Amino acid sequence: MMRIIGLTGGIGSGKSTVSEYIREKGIKTIDADEISRNLTKKDGAALPAIRKFFGEQVFFEDGTLNRKALGNIVFSDRDKLKLLESCTTEVVDRIIRKELAELKENDFNGVVVLDIPLLFEGGDQVLCDETWVVTCSYDIKVERLLKRDNTTLEAVKNRMANQMSDEDKIKLATYIIDNSFSLDYLYTQIELLLLKNNCI
Ligand code: ATP
């Protein structure tokens, strides 16, 4: 039997840290961000729609996407973010569903973790047997993002402003992963959840 776990959390909550740990354990994961990056790499399937809506200003001369320019536009404007998501989310969703259908067809037995930042926003929790939400306080997220991204406080705050609140995500979660403390504490919680699902 295939068991599908949806993993999500706000920007800077520690989703990637969690999914990397799970992947290292040899557990099957499907990463929505990675699929999205593939769609937006050179000649990727989402680029024509992005060019149509955002114009040449978000492209370099060689036709690759200028992620920083695009990020600056969408992270301070909720409508533009929605527009960008409409260029990619639907296709990402289709690819994820196709991968799951293939696994099912091949009688995949075990856990698959879907790492989807916009899991609830896109309604993809319906695909999942259970969902995990990674969370920590706003201040900790800001502090970690500033350290990771070498950016400004304003840019970090803008990115975080256009998100579903943790409070709403927690309401929809089966399990909550508290990432307010050490990495060891984070990993212990993951181990427990994996044990519960019989996959370690
Ligand atoms: P984004 O939504 O921007 O992709 P994310 O939710 O995937 O972010 P991560 O990249 O996993 O978050 O974590 C943000 C930063 O915080 C990273 O630099 C990561 O190494 C660091 N980090 C994560 N958890 C902890 C922890 N418990 N203690 C210290 N640093 C941590």
Side-chain angles (χ1 to χ4, degrees), residues 6-187:
L7 169 69
T8 193
I11 290 173
S13 59
K15 293 176 303 292
S16 312
T17 309
V18 173
S19 70
E20 207 177 296
Y21 187 73
I22 291 170
R23 212 168 307 126
E24 275 171 14
K25 297 240 160 230
I27 292 161
K28 171 87 189 148
T29 61
I30 297 177
D31 181 341
D33 268 351
E34 189 187 322
I35 297 171
S36 177
R37 271 195 303 275
N38 280 334
L39 288 172
T40 52
K41 70 182 186 198
K42 195 162 176 5
D43 301 324
L47 293 191
I50 293 175
R51 183 173 275 110
K52 184 174 145 206
F53 290 127
F54 295 93
E56 286 305 324
Q57 58 167 337
V58 300
F59 287 87
F60 292 114
E61 267 180 23
D62 67 356
T64 54
L65 187 63
N66 183 341
R67 289 171 200 276
K68 196 155 186 205
L70 187 59
N72 285 339
I73 295 173
V74 299
F75 284 126
S76 54
D77 184 331
R78 188 183 278 261
D79 291 338
K80 296 237 165 80
L81 181 62
K82 287 256 169 297
L83 198 58
L84 174 63
E85 282 168 8
S86 74
C87 299
T88 55
T89 316
E90 235 171 78
V91 190
V92 172
D93 218 55
R94 221 180 308 138
I95 292 171
I96 291 174
R97 282 169 198 256
K98 192 161 156 257
E99 272 195 47
L100 289 174
E102 275 167 16
L103 287 169
K104 207 167 170 196
E105 251 169 52
N106 294 321
D107 292 325
F108 179 85
N109 192 15
V111 161
V112 183
V113 175
L114 300 184
D115 175 357
I116 307 185
L118 299 176
L119 182 79
F120 297 127
E121 291 86 337
D124 282 333
Q125 71 268 33
V126 298
L127 299 172
C128 305
D129 295 295
E130 66 182 59
T131 57
W132 300 356
V133 169
V134 188
T135 177
C136 59
S137 74
Y138 182 83
D139 289 349
I140 296 177
K141 284 180 195 157
V142 169
E143 190 188 312
R144 289 181 184 156
L145 287 171
L146 280 174
K147 199 166 156 200
R148 187 193 68 186
D149 295 344
N150 185 28
T151 176
T152 64
L153 184 61
E154 198 199 349
V156 166
K157 286 191 168 170
N158 273 339
R159 256 161 68 195
M160 293 174 72
N162 287 313
Q163 284 213 308
M164 182 192 270
S165 71
D166 270 15
E167 210 183 4
D168 287 342
K169 285 189 177 127
I170 284 168
K171 277 189 206 145
L172 296 166
T174 317
Y175 295 106
I176 295 151
I177 299 176
D178 180 3
N179 190 21
S180 311
F181 304 100
S182 68
L183 284 172
D184 275 346
Y185 182 64
L186 177 69
Y187 297 152

Side-chain angles (χ1 to χ4, degrees), residues 179-197:
N179 190 21
S180 311
F181 304 100
S182 68
L183 284 172
D184 275 346
Y185 182 64
L186 177 69
Y187 297 152
T188 305
Q189 294 172 78
I190 304 169
E191 300 264 342
L192 285 174
L193 289 173
L194 292 174
L195 269 174
K196 236 172 147 27
N197 279 286

